[in-house]
Amino acid sequence: MAVDELQAIIQRCQILEEADFKGEDFNLFQVAGQKCLEDGYAAQLLEVIQNEKNKVIIKNMGWNLISPLVRCIFMYKLEDDKREHCLKILDQLAQLCNPKELFLGLLEQIEQTSGEQVCQTVMLLLQPLQTVLLKLQNKKAYSVGLSLAMIMNQLTALPVPYTKQQIQEDKLGLCQCCNAVVDFAKPFVNEVVKNMEKSSEYNDMELKEELLKFCMKSLKYPLLTAQLEQPEGTEEHPFRRFATEIIDILWDIRELIPLVFLHRKGKSPHWENQEFADIEQKNSADSLACLSYLMFVQHFGIDYFPVVFSPSYLLQCNMTHIEVLLKRTEESMLSKGLDLFESCLLRMEDNSLLHQYLEFRDFIDVPQDLVKVMTLCPIEHLRKKSLNILQLFIDKFDAEGKYTLFRCLLKTSNHAGVEGYIIKNIKDQIHLSLTKACDNIWFTGHHLVSLLDLVLLLPEGAETDLLQNSDRIMASLNLLRYLVIKDCESDNQTGVWTTIAKIEQNFLKPLHVGLNMSKAHYEAEIKNKKENRREAHSSNTVCSLTVSGEKMPAMTTDMQLQVLHSALFTFDLIESVLARVEELIEVKTKAVMDENS
């Protein structure tokens, strides 16, 4: 039987010196031990291992039993005595085996696991792995780093629970496993802390660097992907606990504040391959962005934070991280970027952000990324939030900053809706300039005239697609109407009357021509559709239609006619506002001429 075979091998090896063990002995011991486990003789195997006479044999050969032992533990049910015996064997092997050999055996098991068994395997082997690592004398830091890297690489393949239900179910055990890994790392953190306390010039940086790498990986996965808001009426959020532990480790090893402010990335390896170097840099950027989100939005570790920095400096520090997150398309990361941006802006008073900050590239790039979210993101609540944050960003700048930002966004947004929104903001700033006692040079006089050159024009003259640009055109006309009503030609505070001839030439006349062309085109299209419908004797014929250069979904003729009539209504609306503007200009100009005559 399996037990007899094992006893025979044990008796044979007991009389040998440790140095006389041969490869054949190792193989026979492994086969017999595995057979004992598979045939249900775990209790008898445990007795053999616990026998003091077999100590040397187990020390040298016991690590070979790790693979069959793990398989059997998962095979037995939780309440099965045989499973309990297997767990005791695992504990005994951790105490008795050669640490180096057992370390490699345990890592091999973690590396080979996959799918649903990843978290189960990791949690099963964390305790024996920790025991072995604490025994190691040589290359301890390297071994700890290798263990943490192997574990995190295996976990990274698993999807991160995102919704409240997914987190509560934790089907694959990821939430539980992440917190178990932090507990696994704590003795090594304590070792680093003790060494740093003993000497202010702590030179053994290897273990500290390995722990820093682990924290950086944890920030990227799972924390960057995880939903970290605490749902009401729920127990402690597992990822919030994990985040707290990671922040505490960074603080304990004195890396938290340097990472937040100095953007220290640790000792990044020198890569010969530029592609690997780029991946390393991207991973580091993602981790640092997540760290800023945890601190400034979720307030993890905020008690460690020195309260001496101005809100504008904090915004400047975080703009790099905000840019990293806003360039992502995943909801979890994009929402973190928006939350971080909003949090930084809400700390500031309106009109307090100096225009000089726009000399930093991030302060120009981030609003452009925000515009992309507003116009391209498929998630409605994120689009709406990004619009609110853009307004918040505008509000924080001083007058010159607003002026510069408006010019930039008008040139780069390439979206009529966004341009219309910016033009409305320009109108609001002009209104403040004209109604406030203090003189604002940036939204009156020659500065405003220069800005109006960007606003009061058609991008492609009379051939501009008026339907696609209707938001911009309506906002421009409303701004011009406001200027003509509010600013008398005799005062000319805004400078609009100085440039009225140029406005008529570059904007109003081409708009007239464009409207006539567009209306004629759409009226002809409506006429054709009606004639085609009569010929087909049916209004249910399905056709295709192109509007503003985009092919619309298949529609019946009636549906197409409805779209075409809607376009005509837009042109009529533009035309009515245009007529009112021209009427106001004529009245004001005539009044001045009458006064002068």
Side-chain angles (χ1 to χ4, degrees):
M1 299 297 292
V3 178
D4 296 333
E5 289 176 19
L6 180 64
Q7 288 290 1
I9 295 160
I10 292 291
Q11 287 171 9
R12 172 185 161 184
C13 291
Q14 278 178 343
I15 60 174
L16 296 175
E17 293 294 324
E18 188 174 347
D20 294 331
F21 291 154
K22 297 176 182 177
E24 182 186 357
D25 299 323
F26 285 85
N27 291 335
L28 290 171
F29 177 84
Q30 182 182 7
V31 170
Q34 180 175 332
K35 201 169 181 188
C36 284
L37 289 168
E38 291 172 349
D39 291 352
Y41 298 112
Q44 289 84 342
L45 179 59
L46 178 61
E47 287 179 14
V48 169
I49 291 171
Q50 288 175 328
N51 190 330
E52 188 70 20
K53 294 178 182 178
N54 302 330
K55 194 173 182 180
V56 175
I57 299 171
I58 301 304
K59 176 189 171 186
N60 287 275
M61 303 185 189
W63 66 274
N64 280 306
L65 296 176
I66 291 295
S67 180
L69 191 59
V70 169
R71 283 201 303 273
C72 288
I73 288 172
F74 289 140
M75 184 175 68
Y76 297 128
K77 293 181 179 178
L78 284 174
E79 63 277 5
D80 197 319
D81 289 343
K82 293 173 184 174
R83 187 177 194 276
E84 194 60 35
H85 291 139
C86 288
L87 290 172
K88 287 180 180 178
I89 291 171
L90 183 60
D91 182 58
Q92 285 292 304
L93 294 178
Q95 302 297 331
L96 299 173
C97 287
N98 180 310
K100 182 181 176 182
E101 301 291 349
L102 187 59
F103 168 68
L104 295 173
L106 291 169
L107 270 198
E108 186 179 13
Q109 284 304 299
I110 292 173
E111 184 181 23
Q112 289 177 352
T113 188
S114 61
E116 294 183 2
Q117 284 201 329
V118 167
C119 290
Q120 295 176 46
T121 304
V122 169
M123 284 191 286
L124 174 67
L125 300 181
L126 278 177
Q127 187 58 58
L129 185 58
Q130 185 189 71
T131 303
V132 169
L133 287 169
L134 289 170
K135 287 182 179 182
L136 286 177
Q137 299 301 318
N138 299 323
K139 294 189 175 180
K140 184 178 194 176
Y142 170 79
S143 301
V144 170
L146 186 62
S147 302
L148 289 170
M150 180 73 72
I151 290 166
M152 293 308 293
N153 285 342
Q154 287 291 72
L155 295 183
T156 304
L158 303 178
V160 178
Y162 190 71
T163 65
K164 177 182 173 182
Q165 184 180 348
Q166 287 172 345
I167 291 168
Q168 286 176 338
E169 288 178 356
D170 192 20
K171 280 186 178 179
L172 298 178
L174 181 65
C175 301
Q176 186 183 353
C177 189
C178 285
N179 286 301
V181 175
V182 169
D183 292 335
F184 163 82
K186 281 182 180 177
F188 311 109
V189 175
N190 293 336
E191 184 177 327
V192 170
V193 171
K194 283 179 183 176
N195 288 330
M196 286 193 296
E197 287 172 352
K198 284 178 188 174
S199 169
S200 57
E201 297 180 3
Y202 174 55
N203 294 320
D204 183 14
M205 299 296 290
E206 287 187 18
L207 184 55
K208 180 180 174 180
E209 285 293 335
E210 296 299 343
L211 292 170
L212 177 57
K213 287 178 190 173
F214 163 66
C215 290
M216 293 290 278
K217 283 184 179 178
S218 300
L219 288 167
K220 181 172 170 62
Y221 177 95
L223 293 176
L224 185 60
T225 307
Q227 201 287 103
L228 292 166
E229 299 292 339
Q230 178 73 54
E232 291 184 14
T234 59
E235 297 176 8
E236 185 185 22
H237 192 309
F239 287 131
R240 287 182 68 85
R241 188 204 152 197
F242 183 63
T244 302
E245 297 282 7
I246 293 298
I247 295 289
D248 286 345
I249 291 174
L250 288 171
W251 174 256
D252 289 340
I253 65 175
R254 301 178 189 174
E255 288 293 339
L256 181 61
I257 302 303
L259 279 176
V260 173
F261 288 106
L262 304 180
H263 296 180
R264 181 183 180 280
K265 299 178 177 64
K267 292 181 181 176
S268 298
H270 174 72
W271 297 102
E272 295 290 337
N273 187 317
Q274 185 58 41
E275 186 179 348
F276 289 158
D278 292 342
I279 292 170
E280 178 80 14
Q281 188 176 0
K282 181 181 179 299
N283 288 341
S284 179
D286 287 344
S287 300
L288 291 171
C290 184
L291 177 61
S292 279
Y293 169 80
L294 292 177
M295 287 203 72
F296 296 109
V297 178
Q298 296 295 337
H299 303 131
F300 290 109
I302 204 69
D303 294 339
Y304 303 135
F305 191 74
V307 192
V308 293
F309 300 105
S310 68
S312 55
Y313 177 71
L314 291 179
L315 176 62
Q316 182 189 342
C317 288
N318 280 308
M319 285 301 263
T320 302
H321 306 315
I322 292 165
E323 184 178 13
V324 166
L325 294 170
L326 291 188
K327 288 189 185 300
R328 303 300 290 265
T329 55
E330 302 92 331
E331 180 182 2
S332 59
M333 300 177 200
L334 199 49
S335 63
K336 285 181 175 66
L338 293 173
D339 288 343
L340 180 57
F341 199 7
E342 183 180 46
S343 174
C344 291
L345 292 172
L346 289 174
R347 297 168 192 269
M348 307 179 68
E349 293 182 7
D350 286 355
N351 308 307
S352 66
L353 190 58
L354 301 176
H355 62 273
Q356 286 91 342
Y357 278 95
L358 287 168
E359 294 173 12
F360 295 110
R361 201 204 74 204
D362 293 337
F363 279 77
I364 293 294
D365 290 347
V366 166
Q368 291 180 40
D369 290 332
L370 203 56
V371 165
K372 289 176 183 173
V373 179
M374 287 163 49
T375 56
L376 300 175
C377 179
I379 305 166
E380 184 182 6
H381 74 92
L382 294 184
R383 290 199 306 272
K384 288 180 177 178
K385 184 164 187 172
S386 62
L387 177 62
N388 294 335
I389 293 172
L390 178 63
Q391 187 61 59
L392 205 56
F393 188 56
I394 292 168
D395 293 342
K396 300 308 171 186
F397 273 103
D398 59 17
E400 186 176 349
K402 288 183 175 74
Y403 178 89
T404 307
L405 187 60
F406 291 156
R407 290 188 72 92
C408 170
L409 290 174
L410 283 172
K411 289 178 179 179
T412 60
S413 67
N414 297 317
H415 189 280
V418 175
E419 290 163 3
Y421 187 78
I422 297 303
I423 293 167
K424 179 183 177 298
N425 264 275
I426 293 171
K427 175 175 168 285
D428 293 341
Q429 290 306 311
I430 295 169
H431 180 71
L432 286 174
S433 300
L434 295 176
T435 54
K436 279 166 62 176
C438 59
D439 186 29
N440 183 347
I441 63 168
W442 292 99
F443 292 95
T444 56
H446 71 277
H447 287 301
L448 177 58
V449 169
S450 174
L451 189 58
L452 291 178
D453 286 343
L454 290 175
V455 172
L456 301 176
L457 87 164
L458 294 177
E460 295 168 38
E463 295 182 0
T464 300
D465 188 328
L466 301 187
L467 198 60
Q468 192 169 341
N469 287 276
S470 60
D471 287 342
R472 178 198 167 106
I473 292 167
M474 285 298 291
S476 300
L477 286 171
N478 282 327
L479 170 58
L480 183 55
R481 178 172 59 177
Y482 171 83
L483 290 172
V484 172
I485 293 172
K486 199 73 179 176
D487 192 13
C488 297
E489 189 171 354
S490 55
D491 296 336
N492 198 24
Q493 285 177 269
T494 61
V496 69
W497 293 105
T498 310
T499 189
I500 199 72
K502 186 178 179 182
I503 292 170
E504 287 177 337
Q505 186 65 34
N506 293 343
F507 182 52
L508 300 181
K509 285 183 180 178
L511 183 55
H512 260 300
V513 175
L515 280 169
N516 291 335
M517 290 166 58
S518 298
K519 288 178 74 174
H521 171 72
Y522 276 81
E523 284 167 354
E525 195 70 29
I526 288 171
K527 186 179 177 183
N528 287 337
K529 293 293 176 191
K530 287 181 176 177
E531 288 176 358
N532 291 340
R533 183 175 62 179
R534 280 196 295 271
E535 289 174 10
H537 300 293
S538 170
S539 62
N540 294 323
T541 307
V542 177
C543 315
S544 64
L545 177 67
T546 301
V547 176
S548 299
E550 293 185 17
K551 194 167 184 179
M552 303 296 287
M555 297 185 291
T556 64
T557 304
D558 280 346
M559 292 164 69
Q560 292 176 60
L561 284 168
Q562 193 175 350
V563 170
L564 293 168
H565 280 297
S566 177
L568 276 180
F569 176 77
T570 301
F571 298 145
D572 287 340
L573 196 61
I574 293 172
E575 195 169 39
S576 68
V577 180
L578 173 60
R580 177 61 179 150
V581 168
E582 291 180 324
E583 181 186 342
L584 287 167
I585 292 171
E586 186 180 345
V587 169
K588 287 273 184 127
T589 307
K590 188 178 179 185
V592 171
M593 289 174 64
D594 290 344
E595 285 177 17
N596 294 335
S597 60

